[in-house]
Amino acid sequence: MSSSIFLYVPNLIGYARVFLLVGFYAFALTRWEVAICAYIASFAGDLFDGYFAKKLNQCSTFGMILDMVTDRIATTGLLSILSIIYPRYAVIFTCLQGLDLSSHWFHMYSTATAGGHHKDKQTLKKRNFILRIYYGSYPLFAYLCVSAELTYVALYILYFVSDDNTFFLSRLYSFFLLPGCILKQLVNIAQLTSAANELAARDRDAALIAAQKNDSNDSNKNR
């Protein structure tokens, strides 16, 4: 029954991640220590849902979408908080939100409607080479994803912590996290443009087929 899908272990982890994100939003501007613990716990859950999905043979389309939507809610929500506490850079954070949402939705839609998984090598074989490298190398994929997320986490923490206690975190941010975050944005741009080109190519092919069909019908009528 379809209801049992909702009770898959990885999906239960997904619900817990959403609940933790609500806790983050609730305390983000008043109790930052509680908020960041909730956010990091939700982020850590992303490491386990995929593991249990494979281990327990509980992979599902619902779970895949839930995971992706939760990731996007987390990132865009944190960027929204950063826009509030760093109003001077609100335009930058808002643009990063738009890029994150659009690139992942375009990519997910273009691969799902092609009948493949968004990380599958076969699905991506004709896509941008940057995507093939990114999704084909798990260490690179993990570094860019984690560094991008932790860049935003570091910015959040640095706002609340006094300068005397930020030496290590600021150095970690500058020399390890920020470069990965910048590279992740380049991947997002490549992901967006690749998916857009794929969808436009399908529209072009569909238009050509429709035009040929119309020409064939007109030709038959004239006989």
Side-chain angles (χ1 to χ4, degrees):
M1 296 177 63
S2 61
S3 59
S4 65
I5 303 296
F6 296 123
L7 299 179
Y8 277 4
V9 171
N11 295 340
L12 294 177
I13 294 173
Y15 309 146
R17 292 184 63 205
V18 173
F19 178 79
L20 287 166
L21 287 175
V22 173
F24 167 70
Y25 301 143
F27 295 105
L29 300 177
T30 55
R31 298 183 62 185
W32 74 269
E33 300 97 332
V34 174
I36 202 61
C37 287
Y39 189 90
I40 291 175
S42 178
F43 181 65
D46 194 31
L47 302 175
F48 296 102
D49 55 4
Y51 169 79
F52 282 109
K54 294 176 182 177
K55 183 176 180 61
L56 301 176
N57 193 27
Q58 292 184 345
C59 296
S60 65
T61 302
F62 170 78
M64 180 179 68
I65 299 298
L66 174 64
D67 179 59
M68 198 273 282
V69 169
T70 304
D71 289 343
R72 305 285 65 76
I73 291 173
T75 301
T76 56
L78 179 53
L79 287 169
S80 295
I81 299 299
L82 293 178
S83 295
I84 295 173
I85 62 179
Y86 296 107
R88 176 183 291 185
Y89 304 104
V91 172
I92 295 175
F93 294 131
T94 302
C95 289
L96 290 174
Q97 282 181 321
L99 178 60
D100 184 77
L101 286 170
S102 59
S103 67
H104 285 87
W105 273 112
F106 266 77
H107 181 64
M108 176 69 79
Y109 180 82
S110 67
T111 53
T113 53
H117 190 276
H118 64 286
K119 297 179 184 178
D120 184 66
K121 184 182 297 185
Q122 187 67 21
T123 305
L124 300 175
K125 69 177 182 179
K126 294 183 179 179
R127 296 297 184 89
N128 190 302
F129 75 95
I130 294 176
L131 295 185
R132 297 197 299 272
I133 295 173
Y134 172 66
Y135 285 111
S137 172
Y138 184 77
L140 177 64
F141 173 82
Y143 166 64
L144 296 189
C145 288
V146 172
S147 61
E149 206 67 28
L150 292 186
T151 293
Y152 307 142
V153 169
L155 286 173
Y156 175 77
I157 295 174
L158 287 170
Y159 177 81
F160 293 99
V161 178
S162 63
D163 293 339
D164 295 336
N165 299 317
T166 61
F167 178 82
F168 174 76
L169 183 59
S170 61
R171 295 302 182 276
L172 178 67
Y173 163 78
S174 299
F175 298 112
F176 183 76
L177 300 178
L178 186 59
C181 183
I182 293 173
L183 290 175
K184 181 62 167 65
Q185 307 317 312
L186 296 177
V187 170
N188 283 345
I189 293 172
Q191 187 166 252
L192 175 60
T193 56
S194 178
N197 287 333
E198 170 68 17
L199 294 174
R202 291 184 202 171
D203 288 337
R204 178 202 60 206
D205 294 342
L208 288 174
I209 292 172
Q212 291 173 355
K213 185 176 181 180
N214 289 335
D215 290 342
S216 177
N217 290 337
D218 292 339
S219 177
N220 291 334
K221 289 179 182 179
N222 295 329
R223 290 180 180 176

PDB file of all heavy atoms in Angstrom, residues 72 99-100 103-104 134-135 141 144-145 147-149 152 178-189 191:
ATOM      1  N   ARG A  72      16.559  21.995   0.033  1.00  0.00           N
ATOM      2  CA  ARG A  72      16.335  23.352  -0.493  1.00  0.00           C
ATOM      3  C   ARG A  72      15.704  24.256   0.569  1.00  0.00           C
ATOM      4  O   ARG A  72      16.050  25.429   0.678  1.00  0.00           O
ATOM      5  CB  ARG A  72      15.440  23.308  -1.729  1.00  0.00           C
ATOM      6  CG  ARG A  72      15.928  22.392  -2.835  1.00  0.00           C
ATOM      7  CD  ARG A  72      17.110  22.942  -3.626  1.00  0.00           C
ATOM      8  NE  ARG A  72      18.336  23.123  -2.921  1.00  0.00           N
ATOM      9  CZ  ARG A  72      19.188  22.130  -2.571  1.00  0.00           C
ATOM     10  NH1 ARG A  72      18.908  20.876  -2.862  1.00  0.00           N
ATOM     11  NH2 ARG A  72      20.316  22.398  -1.958  1.00  0.00           N
ATOM     12  N   LEU A  99      19.507  31.012  -7.217  1.00  0.00           N
ATOM     13  CA  LEU A  99      20.366  30.092  -7.963  1.00  0.00           C
ATOM     14  C   LEU A  99      20.236  28.675  -7.430  1.00  0.00           C
ATOM     15  O   LEU A  99      20.145  27.712  -8.206  1.00  0.00           O
ATOM     16  CB  LEU A  99      21.815  30.560  -7.876  1.00  0.00           C
ATOM     17  CG  LEU A  99      22.854  29.669  -8.570  1.00  0.00           C
ATOM     18  CD1 LEU A  99      22.559  29.543 -10.061  1.00  0.00           C
ATOM     19  CD2 LEU A  99      24.271  30.224  -8.344  1.00  0.00           C
ATOM     20  N   ASP A 100      20.219  28.539  -6.115  1.00  0.00           N
ATOM     21  CA  ASP A 100      20.115  27.204  -5.506  1.00  0.00           C
ATOM     22  C   ASP A 100      18.796  26.529  -5.883  1.00  0.00           C
ATOM     23  O   ASP A 100      18.778  25.368  -6.308  1.00  0.00           O
ATOM     24  CB  ASP A 100      20.218  27.326  -3.982  1.00  0.00           C
ATOM     25  CG  ASP A 100      20.222  25.979  -3.288  1.00  0.00           C
ATOM     26  OD1 ASP A 100      21.256  25.303  -3.301  1.00  0.00           O
ATOM     27  OD2 ASP A 100      19.170  25.589  -2.744  1.00  0.00           O
ATOM     28  N   SER A 103      18.510  25.991  -9.978  1.00  0.00           N
ATOM     29  CA  SER A 103      19.429  25.003 -10.545  1.00  0.00           C
ATOM     30  C   SER A 103      19.016  23.585 -10.157  1.00  0.00           C
ATOM     31  O   SER A 103      19.039  22.674 -10.992  1.00  0.00           O
ATOM     32  CB  SER A 103      20.865  25.280 -10.088  1.00  0.00           C
ATOM     33  OG  SER A 103      21.025  25.060  -8.701  1.00  0.00           O
ATOM     34  N   HIS A 104      18.617  23.395  -8.918  1.00  0.00           N
ATOM     35  CA  HIS A 104      18.241  22.045  -8.483  1.00  0.00           C
ATOM     36  C   HIS A 104      16.887  21.620  -9.050  1.00  0.00           C
ATOM     37  O   HIS A 104      16.712  20.461  -9.429  1.00  0.00           O
ATOM     38  CB  HIS A 104      18.230  21.966  -6.953  1.00  0.00           C
ATOM     39  CG  HIS A 104      19.591  21.924  -6.345  1.00  0.00           C
ATOM     40  ND1 HIS A 104      20.318  23.060  -6.033  1.00  0.00           N
ATOM     41  CD2 HIS A 104      20.395  20.880  -6.017  1.00  0.00           C
ATOM     42  CE1 HIS A 104      21.483  22.715  -5.536  1.00  0.00           C
ATOM     43  NE2 HIS A 104      21.561  21.397  -5.505  1.00  0.00           N
ATOM     44  N   TYR A 134      31.413  16.464 -11.141  1.00  0.00           N
ATOM     45  CA  TYR A 134      30.847  16.754  -9.817  1.00  0.00           C
ATOM     46  C   TYR A 134      30.106  15.546  -9.251  1.00  0.00           C
ATOM     47  O   TYR A 134      30.375  15.107  -8.125  1.00  0.00           O
ATOM     48  CB  TYR A 134      29.913  17.955  -9.944  1.00  0.00           C
ATOM     49  CG  TYR A 134      29.092  18.279  -8.722  1.00  0.00           C
ATOM     50  CD1 TYR A 134      29.699  18.725  -7.548  1.00  0.00           C
ATOM     51  CD2 TYR A 134      27.698  18.174  -8.747  1.00  0.00           C
ATOM     52  CE1 TYR A 134      28.946  19.042  -6.427  1.00  0.00           C
ATOM     53  CE2 TYR A 134      26.939  18.498  -7.638  1.00  0.00           C
ATOM     54  CZ  TYR A 134      27.563  18.926  -6.490  1.00  0.00           C
ATOM     55  OH  TYR A 134      26.815  19.243  -5.383  1.00  0.00           O
ATOM     56  N   TYR A 135      29.187  14.988 -10.026  1.00  0.00           N
ATOM     57  CA  TYR A 135      28.413  13.847  -9.542  1.00  0.00           C
ATOM     58  C   TYR A 135      29.187  12.531  -9.640  1.00  0.00           C
ATOM     59  O   TYR A 135      28.817  11.548  -8.988  1.00  0.00           O
ATOM     60  CB  TYR A 135      27.099  13.736 -10.317  1.00  0.00           C
ATOM     61  CG  TYR A 135      26.071  14.763  -9.909  1.00  0.00           C
ATOM     62  CD1 TYR A 135      25.700  15.789 -10.764  1.00  0.00           C
ATOM     63  CD2 TYR A 135      25.461  14.712  -8.657  1.00  0.00           C
ATOM     64  CE1 TYR A 135      24.755  16.746 -10.388  1.00  0.00           C
ATOM     65  CE2 TYR A 135      24.521  15.660  -8.274  1.00  0.00           C
ATOM     66  CZ  TYR A 135      24.171  16.667  -9.140  1.00  0.00           C
ATOM     67  OH  TYR A 135      23.243  17.611  -8.770  1.00  0.00           O
ATOM     68  N   PHE A 141      31.998  15.896  -4.619  1.00  0.00           N
ATOM     69  CA  PHE A 141      30.592  16.190  -4.360  1.00  0.00           C
ATOM     70  C   PHE A 141      30.374  16.516  -2.882  1.00  0.00           C
ATOM     71  O   PHE A 141      29.711  17.509  -2.537  1.00  0.00           O
ATOM     72  CB  PHE A 141      29.747  14.979  -4.774  1.00  0.00           C
ATOM     73  CG  PHE A 141      28.298  15.067  -4.404  1.00  0.00           C
ATOM     74  CD1 PHE A 141      27.408  15.779  -5.194  1.00  0.00           C
ATOM     75  CD2 PHE A 141      27.816  14.428  -3.265  1.00  0.00           C
ATOM     76  CE1 PHE A 141      26.060  15.861  -4.856  1.00  0.00           C
ATOM     77  CE2 PHE A 141      26.473  14.499  -2.920  1.00  0.00           C
ATOM     78  CZ  PHE A 141      25.589  15.229  -3.723  1.00  0.00           C
ATOM     79  N   LEU A 144      32.107  19.973  -1.800  1.00  0.00           N
ATOM     80  CA  LEU A 144      31.419  21.176  -2.261  1.00  0.00           C
ATOM     81  C   LEU A 144      30.084  21.375  -1.551  1.00  0.00           C
ATOM     82  O   LEU A 144      29.743  22.494  -1.157  1.00  0.00           O
ATOM     83  CB  LEU A 144      31.210  21.122  -3.780  1.00  0.00           C
ATOM     84  CG  LEU A 144      32.475  21.118  -4.642  1.00  0.00           C
ATOM     85  CD1 LEU A 144      32.112  21.284  -6.123  1.00  0.00           C
ATOM     86  CD2 LEU A 144      33.441  22.209  -4.213  1.00  0.00           C
ATOM     87  N   CYS A 145      29.328  20.293  -1.379  1.00  0.00           N
ATOM     88  CA  CYS A 145      28.039  20.412  -0.692  1.00  0.00           C
ATOM     89  C   CYS A 145      28.214  20.822   0.766  1.00  0.00           C
ATOM     90  O   CYS A 145      27.539  21.739   1.256  1.00  0.00           O
ATOM     91  CB  CYS A 145      27.279  19.089  -0.763  1.00  0.00           C
ATOM     92  SG  CYS A 145      26.623  18.696  -2.395  1.00  0.00           S
ATOM     93  N   SER A 147      30.918  22.161   2.265  1.00  0.00           N
ATOM     94  CA  SER A 147      31.564  23.467   2.436  1.00  0.00           C
ATOM     95  C   SER A 147      30.596  24.610   2.153  1.00  0.00           C
ATOM     96  O   SER A 147      30.619  25.637   2.839  1.00  0.00           O
ATOM     97  CB  SER A 147      32.802  23.586   1.541  1.00  0.00           C
ATOM     98  OG  SER A 147      32.453  23.471   0.176  1.00  0.00           O
ATOM     99  N   ALA A 148      29.728  24.433   1.156  1.00  0.00           N
ATOM    100  CA  ALA A 148      28.741  25.480   0.869  1.00  0.00           C
ATOM    101  C   ALA A 148      27.807  25.666   2.058  1.00  0.00           C
ATOM    102  O   ALA A 148      27.545  26.793   2.502  1.00  0.00           O
ATOM    103  CB  ALA A 148      27.951  25.125  -0.381  1.00  0.00           C
ATOM    104  N   GLU A 149      27.308  24.556   2.595  1.00  0.00           N
ATOM    105  CA  GLU A 149      26.374  24.642   3.713  1.00  0.00           C
ATOM    106  C   GLU A 149      27.060  25.197   4.956  1.00  0.00           C
ATOM    107  O   GLU A 149      26.506  26.056   5.658  1.00  0.00           O
ATOM    108  CB  GLU A 149      25.790  23.258   4.001  1.00  0.00           C
ATOM    109  CG  GLU A 149      24.432  23.271   4.644  1.00  0.00           C
ATOM    110  CD  GLU A 149      23.349  23.817   3.729  1.00  0.00           C
ATOM    111  OE1 GLU A 149      23.487  23.705   2.501  1.00  0.00           O
ATOM    112  OE2 GLU A 149      22.367  24.367   4.257  1.00  0.00           O
ATOM    113  N   TYR A 152      27.610  29.019   5.135  1.00  0.00           N
ATOM    114  CA  TYR A 152      26.459  29.771   5.640  1.00  0.00           C
ATOM    115  C   TYR A 152      26.317  29.595   7.154  1.00  0.00           C
ATOM    116  O   TYR A 152      25.986  30.550   7.870  1.00  0.00           O
ATOM    117  CB  TYR A 152      25.179  29.322   4.938  1.00  0.00           C
ATOM    118  CG  TYR A 152      25.254  29.369   3.432  1.00  0.00           C
ATOM    119  CD1 TYR A 152      24.649  28.394   2.639  1.00  0.00           C
ATOM    120  CD2 TYR A 152      25.943  30.389   2.790  1.00  0.00           C
ATOM    121  CE1 TYR A 152      24.718  28.436   1.254  1.00  0.00           C
ATOM    122  CE2 TYR A 152      26.021  30.440   1.400  1.00  0.00           C
ATOM    123  CZ  TYR A 152      25.405  29.453   0.635  1.00  0.00           C
ATOM    124  OH  TYR A 152      25.479  29.495  -0.728  1.00  0.00           O
ATOM    125  N   LEU A 178      34.929  28.710   2.242  1.00  0.00           N
ATOM    126  CA  LEU A 178      34.540  29.676   1.214  1.00  0.00           C
ATOM    127  C   LEU A 178      34.947  29.245  -0.194  1.00  0.00           C
ATOM    128  O   LEU A 178      34.135  29.374  -1.128  1.00  0.00           O
ATOM    129  CB  LEU A 178      35.110  31.047   1.544  1.00  0.00           C
ATOM    130  CG  LEU A 178      34.670  32.190   0.618  1.00  0.00           C
ATOM    131  CD1 LEU A 178      33.159  32.337   0.621  1.00  0.00           C
ATOM    132  CD2 LEU A 178      35.333  33.502   1.041  1.00  0.00           C
ATOM    133  N   PRO A 179      36.180  28.734  -0.413  1.00  0.00           N
ATOM    134  CA  PRO A 179      36.518  28.273  -1.769  1.00  0.00           C
ATOM    135  C   PRO A 179      35.571  27.188  -2.272  1.00  0.00           C
ATOM    136  O   PRO A 179      35.166  27.193  -3.439  1.00  0.00           O
ATOM    137  CB  PRO A 179      37.954  27.735  -1.610  1.00  0.00           C
ATOM    138  CG  PRO A 179      38.506  28.484  -0.440  1.00  0.00           C
ATOM    139  CD  PRO A 179      37.343  28.650   0.498  1.00  0.00           C
ATOM    140  N   GLY A 180      35.210  26.246  -1.399  1.00  0.00           N
ATOM    141  CA  GLY A 180      34.274  25.197  -1.795  1.00  0.00           C
ATOM    142  C   GLY A 180      32.905  25.754  -2.101  1.00  0.00           C
ATOM    143  O   GLY A 180      32.226  25.297  -3.029  1.00  0.00           O
ATOM    144  N   CYS A 181      32.490  26.749  -1.335  1.00  0.00           N
ATOM    145  CA  CYS A 181      31.185  27.375  -1.564  1.00  0.00           C
ATOM    146  C   CYS A 181      31.150  28.078  -2.916  1.00  0.00           C
ATOM    147  O   CYS A 181      30.156  27.986  -3.644  1.00  0.00           O
ATOM    148  CB  CYS A 181      30.890  28.369  -0.442  1.00  0.00           C
ATOM    149  SG  CYS A 181      29.273  29.155  -0.573  1.00  0.00           S
ATOM    150  N   ILE A 182      32.227  28.769  -3.258  1.00  0.00           N
ATOM    151  CA  ILE A 182      32.303  29.454  -4.559  1.00  0.00           C
ATOM    152  C   ILE A 182      32.244  28.448  -5.703  1.00  0.00           C
ATOM    153  O   ILE A 182      31.519  28.640  -6.685  1.00  0.00           O
ATOM    154  CB  ILE A 182      33.583  30.305  -4.642  1.00  0.00           C
ATOM    155  CG1 ILE A 182      33.505  31.462  -3.635  1.00  0.00           C
ATOM    156  CG2 ILE A 182      33.788  30.838  -6.055  1.00  0.00           C
ATOM    157  CD1 ILE A 182      34.781  32.255  -3.507  1.00  0.00           C
ATOM    158  N   LEU A 183      32.989  27.362  -5.566  1.00  0.00           N
ATOM    159  CA  LEU A 183      32.962  26.318  -6.592  1.00  0.00           C
ATOM    160  C   LEU A 183      31.578  25.700  -6.716  1.00  0.00           C
ATOM    161  O   LEU A 183      31.128  25.376  -7.823  1.00  0.00           O
ATOM    162  CB  LEU A 183      33.998  25.232  -6.267  1.00  0.00           C
ATOM    163  CG  LEU A 183      35.466  25.627  -6.422  1.00  0.00           C
ATOM    164  CD1 LEU A 183      36.376  24.492  -5.950  1.00  0.00           C
ATOM    165  CD2 LEU A 183      35.785  25.973  -7.878  1.00  0.00           C
ATOM    166  N   LYS A 184      30.883  25.562  -5.578  1.00  0.00           N
ATOM    167  CA  LYS A 184      29.528  25.001  -5.613  1.00  0.00           C
ATOM    168  C   LYS A 184      28.578  25.910  -6.393  1.00  0.00           C
ATOM    169  O   LYS A 184      27.689  25.415  -7.108  1.00  0.00           O
ATOM    170  CB  LYS A 184      29.002  24.822  -4.182  1.00  0.00           C
ATOM    171  CG  LYS A 184      27.594  24.223  -4.090  1.00  0.00           C
ATOM    172  CD  LYS A 184      27.527  22.820  -4.690  1.00  0.00           C
ATOM    173  CE  LYS A 184      26.238  22.104  -4.323  1.00  0.00           C
ATOM    174  NZ  LYS A 184      25.042  22.759  -4.894  1.00  0.00           N
ATOM    175  N   GLN A 185      28.767  27.203  -6.304  1.00  0.00           N
ATOM    176  CA  GLN A 185      27.909  28.119  -7.069  1.00  0.00           C
ATOM    177  C   GLN A 185      28.185  27.989  -8.565  1.00  0.00           C
ATOM    178  O   GLN A 185      27.265  28.087  -9.390  1.00  0.00           O
ATOM    179  CB  GLN A 185      28.127  29.568  -6.610  1.00  0.00           C
ATOM    180  CG  GLN A 185      27.975  29.812  -5.123  1.00  0.00           C
ATOM    181  CD  GLN A 185      26.784  29.099  -4.506  1.00  0.00           C
ATOM    182  OE1 GLN A 185      25.658  29.144  -5.017  1.00  0.00           O
ATOM    183  NE2 GLN A 185      27.027  28.426  -3.382  1.00  0.00           N
ATOM    184  N   LEU A 186      29.436  27.744  -8.927  1.00  0.00           N
ATOM    185  CA  LEU A 186      29.770  27.520 -10.340  1.00  0.00           C
ATOM    186  C   LEU A 186      29.115  26.236 -10.842  1.00  0.00           C
ATOM    187  O   LEU A 186      28.626  26.182 -11.983  1.00  0.00           O
ATOM    188  CB  LEU A 186      31.291  27.455 -10.519  1.00  0.00           C
ATOM    189  CG  LEU A 186      32.063  28.740 -10.201  1.00  0.00           C
ATOM    190  CD1 LEU A 186      33.566  28.513 -10.354  1.00  0.00           C
ATOM    191  CD2 LEU A 186      31.611  29.883 -11.111  1.00  0.00           C
ATOM    192  N   VAL A 187      29.101  25.216  -9.990  1.00  0.00           N
ATOM    193  CA  VAL A 187      28.413  23.969 -10.344  1.00  0.00           C
ATOM    194  C   VAL A 187      26.915  24.227 -10.507  1.00  0.00           C
ATOM    195  O   VAL A 187      26.279  23.707 -11.431  1.00  0.00           O
ATOM    196  CB  VAL A 187      28.655  22.885  -9.278  1.00  0.00           C
ATOM    197  CG1 VAL A 187      27.741  21.683  -9.508  1.00  0.00           C
ATOM    198  CG2 VAL A 187      30.110  22.440  -9.293  1.00  0.00           C
ATOM    199  N   ASN A 188      26.344  25.033  -9.624  1.00  0.00           N
ATOM    200  CA  ASN A 188      24.923  25.356  -9.723  1.00  0.00           C
ATOM    201  C   ASN A 188      24.598  26.058 -11.045  1.00  0.00           C
ATOM    202  O   ASN A 188      23.568  25.785 -11.669  1.00  0.00           O
ATOM    203  CB  ASN A 188      24.484  26.244  -8.553  1.00  0.00           C
ATOM    204  CG  ASN A 188      24.318  25.464  -7.261  1.00  0.00           C
ATOM    205  OD1 ASN A 188      24.258  24.240  -7.263  1.00  0.00           O
ATOM    206  ND2 ASN A 188      24.245  26.169  -6.149  1.00  0.00           N
ATOM    207  N   ILE A 189      25.481  26.961 -11.460  1.00  0.00           N
ATOM    208  CA  ILE A 189      25.279  27.652 -12.742  1.00  0.00           C
ATOM    209  C   ILE A 189      25.348  26.650 -13.893  1.00  0.00           C
ATOM    210  O   ILE A 189      24.514  26.670 -14.809  1.00  0.00           O
ATOM    211  CB  ILE A 189      26.330  28.764 -12.923  1.00  0.00           C
ATOM    212  CG1 ILE A 189      26.094  29.881 -11.891  1.00  0.00           C
ATOM    213  CG2 ILE A 189      26.285  29.334 -14.346  1.00  0.00           C
ATOM    214  CD1 ILE A 189      27.190  30.931 -11.863  1.00  0.00           C
ATOM    215  N   GLN A 191      24.770  23.489 -13.701  1.00  0.00           N
ATOM    216  CA  GLN A 191      23.611  22.614 -13.566  1.00  0.00           C
ATOM    217  C   GLN A 191      22.362  23.262 -14.160  1.00  0.00           C
ATOM    218  O   GLN A 191      21.571  22.617 -14.865  1.00  0.00           O
ATOM    219  CB  GLN A 191      23.401  22.306 -12.087  1.00  0.00           C
ATOM    220  CG  GLN A 191      22.344  21.290 -11.775  1.00  0.00           C
ATOM    221  CD  GLN A 191      22.419  20.797 -10.341  1.00  0.00           C
ATOM    222  OE1 GLN A 191      22.821  19.668 -10.080  1.00  0.00           O
ATOM    223  NE2 GLN A 191      22.044  21.628  -9.396  1.00  0.00           N
TER     224      GLN A 191
END
